[in-house]
């Protein structure tokens, strides 16, 4: 196996709020290989963005190890660390908030190119900006360069923020809800472009979303990690996680989500949870955090022992659920799924 | 099909903006039947919210209804044009005949007012005794799967987003309206929360048999909840029909394009396509079919002559405004066979 671009080993992260320590991530183990697509899904507040920020080095882990190409960040020399910051980029949800409204698109793309001395002349600068805009399908570039962010549509703005991260030729991009705010009709275009950029430049993409169907589409040839209350509860190849979900929480999500097909969506039988209440991070239940809601809960096991992400008989993916790991919960195969 | 309770004819709505008049809704006609759910789908800015705000006459100050009629049939069979009601009559019509649930509406409500006071205020405005309102409300809160006593006495901030949305649904049904308008009621809520809102809505609908005008840009939610679907583009209804017709036999190039951009969990590896370009400027809309600039099926006449909304050959309940509808249908069949 090649050295992962980044590896989180037993990562914890806490925040202090109102003098209370909130455990936002607990024992997260993940790695991202070069050129890989990894998708993180889960409900609001489960720690997806925090994980993404730790991956690109915008946040530090409170405990555990973060290895960048096999070594902790601190083991790199200062010049190397600067290069690492360029190699690991993040694209945020709201392109309007992240693009300076007072600058033209040309200026927005020039700054990183000039700051990092990535171009040698004005002619090269111009050529590179043209190239970047073409890469993100903003063509002809001549129509775009002199515009301000507010003169572009939401989808175009998101393409500009992606072009900006490409200025430094990153090896890994975290796309945090990067298409959540653009219209459904143009989302697919942006996702296809990200796929193409990955194929052409060999980047890895960590794609964060709360939309399972979108995750499935984008990461079909990659992996999905499902998060719940600060932990990764299931991780593996997308067709397996979607087609034969192992963790009861993943099953609950997949059975709950409506589908853009009247017959399929009306035939679904959503799982009845034991409770609809999502526990607060300040009062995470003991044992498996999902046990108070889980219909497959096993007394004196699930409420006592914390399950760890591990392989399970009959599944291609890793899962953090003791009954599944012990073979007490058979694979659920959705006959609708094409996996 | 059951009787028509709302008949909207040639409704046009515009906003006055600095650059000119924004034709947000143009010449829209449709019928709503008793007990059915009609969902409006379409891209952001196509006029879904404007249409529904016009129906309850709560457009912002810059907006105005330029033309149209809106005939509502009361339970006693009496027909009224809602656009002709005076202010007081209209206020009485709201809530008792037609109510609404907007996304995040409870967030904007006064945080120091208890749910119970909201309910009493609504009831008082319609001359309902307090005790009756309380009984009704507790019953409805139970129906939306909340703990009635606890929620009745709580403040909005004490409730989660999903609970608030269900409280709103309960309040909207307090006066037993025939129509409930819901604008993106599950947008921005989590999957399991969305599931419980949808389940509760379906249960209530079965029990109380009201009609719903449902607005969503999420095709999956529309596929699950709607009896009929109306596709809107640039302020017009371009296609309307039973949900199976729209999803399995779409006749408008735009509907087909929307379906072709929607990922499905159950579909395995998928080939999807986004719609090129962006919706037209509603101040200076293009001539002909407003979709022609982005349309893969457009022929010469589409650039000049706007196609009328008319029944398809084999389904009178399925209306479409597309001259190339046969080719669209053939293309859909090809996609389905893959
Ligand atoms: N700087 C911070 N200070 C305090 N709490 C924080 C901070 N950043 C995040 N949190 C908390 O950590 C938890 C996880 O947040 P995070 O943004 O990682 O979730 P997420 O999965 O990305 O959610 P969403 O889908 O809503 O974006 C949340 O409860 C959040 O309130
Ligand atoms: N107050 C306003 N003044 C001027 N134009 C407006 C106003 N409100 C809406 N519009 C315009 O009217 C058109 C229709 O907007 P509307 O909000 O009805 O669309 P929508 O289909 O509900 O979109 P979304 O899916 O984003 O909610 C858009 O072009 C919008 O820019
Ligand atoms: Mg986030
Ligand atoms: Mg709207």
């Amino acid at each position: 196996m090649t050295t992962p671009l980044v590896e989180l080993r037993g990562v914890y992260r806490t925040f202090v709020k109102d003098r209370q320590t909130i455990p936002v991530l607990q024992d997260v183990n993940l790695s991202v290989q070069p050129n890989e697509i990894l998708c993180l899904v889960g409900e609001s507040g489960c720690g997806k963005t925090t994980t993404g920020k730790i991956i690109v080095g915008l946040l530090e882990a409170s405990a555990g190890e973060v290895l960048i190409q096999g070594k902790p960040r601190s083991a790199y020399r200062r010049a190397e660390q600067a290069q690492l910051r360029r190699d690991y980029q993040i694209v945020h949800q709201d392109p309007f908030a992240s693009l300076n409204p007072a600058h033209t698109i040309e200026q927005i793309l020039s700054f990183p190119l000039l700051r990092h001395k990535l171009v040698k002349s004005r002619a090269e600068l111009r050529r590179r900006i043209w190239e970047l805009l073409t890469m993100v399908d903003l063509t002809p570039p001549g129509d775009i360069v002199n515009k301000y962010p507010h003169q572009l549509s939401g989808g175009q703005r998101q393409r500009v923020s992606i072009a900006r991260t490409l200025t430094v030729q990153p090896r890994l991009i975290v796309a945090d809800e990067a298409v959540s705010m653009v219209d459904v009709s143009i989302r697919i275009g942006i996702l296809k472009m990200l796929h193409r950029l990955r194929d052409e430049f060999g980047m890895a993409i960590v794609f964060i979303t709360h939309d399972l169907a979108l995750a499935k589409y984008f990461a079909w040839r990659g992996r999905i990690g499902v998060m719940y209350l600060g932990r990764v509860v299931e991780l593996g190849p997308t067709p397996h996680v979607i087609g034969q979900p192992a963790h009861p929480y993943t099953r609950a999500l997949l059975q709950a989500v409506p589908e853009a097909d009247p017959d399929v969506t009306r035939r679904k039988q959503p799982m009845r949870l034991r409770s609809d209440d999502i526990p607060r991070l300040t009062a995470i239940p003991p044992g498996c955090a999902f046990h108070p809601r889980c219909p497959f809960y096993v007394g004196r096991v699930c409420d006592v022992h914390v399950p760890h992400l591990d392989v399970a008989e009959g599944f291609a993916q890793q899962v953090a659920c003791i009954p599944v790991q012990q073979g007490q919960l058979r694979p659920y195969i959705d006959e609708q799924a094409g996996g | 099909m059951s009787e028509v309770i709302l008949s909207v004819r040639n409704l046009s709505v515009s906003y006055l903006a600095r650059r000119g008049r924004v034709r947000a809704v143009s010449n829209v006609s449709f019928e709503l039947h008793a007990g059915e759910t009609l969902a409006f789908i379409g891209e952001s800015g196509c006029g879904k919210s404007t249409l529904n705000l016009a129906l309850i006459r709560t457009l912002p100050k810059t907006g105005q209804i330029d033309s149209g009629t809106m005939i509502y049939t009361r339970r006693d069979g009496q027909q009224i044009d809602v656009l002709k009601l005076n202010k007081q009559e209209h206020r009485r019509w709201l809530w008792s005949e037609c109510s609404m649930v907007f996304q995040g509406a409870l967030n904007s409500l006064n945080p120091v007012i208890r749910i119970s006071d909201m309910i009493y205020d609504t009831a008082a405005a319609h001359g309902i005794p307090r005790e009756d309102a309380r009984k009704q409300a507790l019953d409805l809160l139970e129906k939306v799967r909340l703990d009635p006593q606890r929620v009745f006495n709580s403040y909005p901030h004490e409730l989660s987003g999903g609970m608030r949305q269900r409280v709103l649904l309960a309040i909207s049904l307090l006066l037993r309206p025939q129509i409930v308008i819901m604008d993106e009621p599950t947008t921005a809520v989590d999957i399991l929360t969305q599931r419980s809102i949808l389940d509760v809505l379906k249960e209530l609908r079965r029990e109380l048999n009201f009609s719903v005008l449902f607005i969503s840009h999420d095709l999956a939610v529309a596929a699950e909840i709607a009896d009929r679907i109306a596709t809107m583009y640039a302020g017009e209804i371009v296609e309307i029909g039973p949900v199976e017709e729209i999803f399995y036999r779409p006749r408008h190039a735009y509907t087909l394009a929307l379906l072709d951009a929607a990922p499905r969990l159950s579909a395995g590896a998928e080939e999807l396509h986004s719609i090129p370009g962006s919706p037209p400027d509603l101040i200076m809309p293009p001539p002909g079919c407003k979709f022609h600039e982005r349309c893969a099926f457009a022929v010469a006449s589409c650039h000049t002559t706007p196609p009328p909304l008319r029944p398809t050959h084999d389904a009178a309940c399925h209306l479409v405004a597309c001259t190339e509808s046969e080719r669209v249908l053939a293309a859909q069949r090809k996609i389905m066979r893959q």
Side-chain angles (χ1 to χ4, degrees):
Chain A
M1 248 222 281
T2 47
T3 316
L5 286 176
V6 58
E7 184 176 3
L8 311 194
R9 282 196 192 160
V11 162
Y12 287 72
R13 173 70 212 199
T14 55
F15 288 110
V16 178
K17 200 172 165 191
D18 304 330
R19 270 179 272 142
Q20 229 182 347
T21 304
I22 309 167
V24 167
L25 293 183
Q26 295 194 68
D27 193 23
V28 170
N29 294 284
L30 278 181
S31 62
V32 187
Q33 299 291 336
N35 204 17
E36 183 189 27
I37 290 182
L38 172 67
C39 198
L40 295 178
V41 300
E43 292 172 286
S44 185
C46 68
K48 304 182 294 295
T49 297
T50 306
T51 306
K53 286 182 176 169
I54 289 177
I55 287 173
V56 298
L58 276 179
L59 268 182
E60 301 221 352
S62 308
E65 277 186 299
V66 179
L67 303 180
I68 318 286
Q69 294 160 60
K71 291 192 291 183
R73 194 175 296 271
S74 56
Y76 288 92
R77 276 177 308 199
R78 187 173 285 183
E80 291 171 329
Q81 289 193 15
Q83 179 61 41
L84 288 181
R85 272 196 295 279
R86 267 173 263 154
D87 285 346
Y88 296 77
Q89 292 285 322
I90 190 162
V91 181
H92 294 287
Q93 170 167 7
D94 182 358
F96 212 44
S98 61
L99 298 177
N100 188 330
H103 294 149
T104 63
I105 304 310
E106 179 161 25
Q107 288 171 319
I108 287 170
L109 296 179
S110 302
F111 293 136
L113 291 170
L114 296 171
R115 175 156 20 98
H116 301 300
K117 304 196 174 56
L118 298 166
V119 288
K120 290 184 198 70
S121 63
R122 283 223 78 82
E124 196 188 342
L125 175 67
R126 199 179 149 78
R127 204 167 54 237
R128 185 82 185 117
I129 288 173
W130 245 244
E131 214 173 81
L132 286 162
L133 288 171
T134 311
M135 271 182 213
V136 296
D137 302 326
L138 287 173
T139 50
D143 289 357
I144 304 283
V145 279
N146 294 320
K147 290 210 163 120
Y148 291 89
H150 73 264
Q151 294 172 309
L152 302 179
S153 71
Q156 289 175 318
R157 286 198 291 263
Q158 197 54 284
R159 287 173 191 272
V160 171
S161 21
I162 293 167
R164 185 177 53 181
T165 64
L166 295 175
T167 54
V168 292
Q169 299 180 298
R171 307 175 64 170
L172 181 152
I173 288 186
V174 172
D176 188 359
E177 305 276 8
V179 295
S180 304
M181 285 176 64
V182 306
D183 211 273
V184 186
S185 60
I186 49 178
R187 271 183 199 172
I188 297 303
I190 295 181
L191 298 185
K192 282 187 168 178
M193 177 197 81
L194 284 172
H195 273 158
R196 205 193 64 230
L197 293 171
R198 167 184 165 260
D199 293 343
E200 276 175 32
F201 303 106
M203 299 181 311
I205 300 178
V206 177
F207 187 76
I208 295 176
T209 180
H210 60 271
D211 183 332
L212 286 178
L214 211 61
K216 179 229 127 194
Y217 170 74
F218 188 72
W220 186 250
R221 285 175 297 161
R223 292 185 299 153
I224 285 190
V226 182
M227 297 187 68
Y228 184 69
L229 291 179
R231 288 176 189 268
V232 178
V233 297
E234 181 156 0
L235 176 67
T238 301
H240 292 272
V241 174
I242 298 295
Q244 293 122 266
H247 198 284
Y249 177 64
T250 315
R251 299 180 192 205
L253 289 180
L254 285 166
Q255 291 174 36
V257 71
E259 286 250 35
D261 182 320
D263 287 347
V264 172
T265 199
R266 283 161 209 230
R267 243 186 284 128
K268 278 192 159 187
Q269 293 192 329
M271 188 190 282
R272 268 290 182 130
L273 296 178
R274 298 202 298 141
S275 153
D276 282 342
D277 294 334
I278 303 168
R280 263 176 259 172
L281 286 173
T282 46
I284 295 181
C288 170
F290 190 55
H291 88 258
R293 306 175 71 189
C294 183
F296 305 107
Y297 146 85
V298 179
R300 275 175 294 164
V301 175
C302 299
D303 51 350
V304 181
H305 303 289
V306 176
H308 297 280
L309 198 61
D310 208 343
V311 291
E313 178 75 29
F315 292 100
Q317 66 268 42
Q318 293 180 298
V319 56
C321 169
I322 294 169
V324 173
Q325 289 165 347
Q326 292 179 342
Q328 293 169 28
L329 218 83
R330 300 313 307 159
Y332 157 85
I333 300 184
D334 182 357
E335 66 283 1
Q336 302 303 322
Chain B
M1 199 172 274
S2 52
E3 77 272 28
V4 171
I5 55 169
L6 182 72
S7 171
V8 174
R9 289 279 147 249
N10 306 320
L11 183 68
S12 293
V13 184
S14 61
Y15 294 103
L16 208 52
R18 220 176 299 150
R19 279 177 51 235
R21 199 165 271 293
V22 183
R23 302 193 180 282
V25 171
S26 318
N27 218 19
V28 160
S29 300
F30 68 91
E31 260 119 42
L32 180 68
H33 301 264
E36 78 164 344
T37 295
L38 172 60
F40 291 88
I41 58 170
E43 274 162 292
S44 184
C46 69
K48 305 182 295 294
S49 297
T50 302
L51 171 60
N52 284 280
L53 288 176
L55 298 183
I56 51 171
R57 289 175 40 185
T58 36
L59 287 165
K61 279 207 186 68
T62 53
Q64 71 174 51
I65 294 172
D66 298 319
S67 64
T69 57
M70 223 180 100
I71 307 299
Y72 175 77
T73 308
R74 296 187 357 182
R75 282 195 183 83
D76 59 14
Q78 194 196 337
Q79 295 199 324
I80 48 175
D81 186 342
V82 179
L83 298 181
K84 295 221 172 78
L85 297 177
N86 68 32
K87 257 208 175 114
Q88 201 192 353
E89 291 166 333
H90 185 255
R91 208 173 304 138
R92 238 179 290 136
W93 183 76
L94 284 181
W95 296 103
S96 61
E97 305 285 347
C98 175
S99 65
M100 55 268 159
V101 178
F102 290 143
Q103 185 203 339
L106 261 185
N107 299 335
S108 56
L109 279 181
N110 193 338
V112 299
I113 293 185
R114 287 179 197 266
I115 304 297
S116 54
D117 293 325
M118 279 182 232
I119 287 166
Y120 288 141
D121 288 353
T122 309
H126 290 267
I128 312 269
R130 260 174 99 87
E131 194 43 34
D132 291 4
R134 203 180 75 92
K135 271 211 204 98
Q136 251 327 327
L138 291 178
D139 182 44
L140 282 164
L141 287 172
E142 174 119 48
K143 285 200 168 83
V144 298
R145 298 194 201 152
L146 293 168
D147 174 355
Q149 292 295 344
R150 202 197 116 203
V151 170
F152 191 68
N153 292 312
S154 57
Y155 293 97
H157 70 88
E158 295 168 336
L159 307 171
S160 72
M163 291 167 87
R164 288 180 199 185
Q165 214 57 335
R166 280 181 282 162
V167 168
L168 277 182
L169 183 56
I171 297 180
S172 76
L173 294 169
L174 192 65
L175 304 182
R176 293 286 186 273
Q178 290 198 89
I179 303 174
V180 180
I181 295 177
M182 309 185 86
D183 195 345
E184 309 275 6
T186 65
T187 302
V189 304
D190 280 321
I191 294 170
L192 298 178
T193 311
Q194 167 173 285
R195 170 49 51 204
S196 69
I197 295 171
L198 293 179
D199 285 351
V200 158
L201 174 61
K202 287 197 280 189
E203 242 169 65
L204 285 170
R205 219 173 38 180
R206 216 169 315 146
E207 209 172 311
L208 305 175
N209 204 38
F210 49 90
S211 308
V212 182
L213 288 171
F214 195 91
I215 304 173
S216 181
H217 66 267
D218 186 343
L219 291 186
V221 174
E224 171 158 342
I225 207 85
D227 300 304
R228 287 197 303 142
I229 303 257
T231 310
M232 287 190 75
Y233 187 74
E236 296 171 348
I237 291 180
V238 296
E239 182 164 16
I240 183 167
V243 63
E244 296 83 8
E245 280 287 314
I246 300 295
F247 274 86
Y248 301 133
R249 286 172 291 281
R251 306 296 187 101
H252 198 286
Y254 179 63
T255 308
L256 179 62
L258 281 179
L259 293 172
D260 206 19
R264 274 152 237 231
L265 277 170
S266 55
E270 280 180 293
E271 187 56 50
L272 299 176
H273 303 278
S274 62
I275 309 177
S278 46
D281 181 359
L282 293 179
I283 294 176
M284 288 268 284
C289 169
K290 288 177 182 167
F291 185 58
H292 79 256
E293 291 163 336
R294 307 170 73 190
C295 181
F297 297 88
V299 295
S301 72
C302 304
H303 297 236
T304 51
T305 321
L309 187 67
R310 56 170 179 233
T312 55
H313 295 307
D314 42 323
C317 54
H318 184 168
L319 285 76
V320 63
C322 181
T323 52
E324 296 305 299
S325 59
E326 290 307 317
R327 275 170 64 217
V328 171
L329 186 62
Q332 157 73 6
R333 295 237 158 91
K334 227 191 251 153
I335 296 172
M336 296 275 279
R337 240 179 282 123
Q338 273 175 5

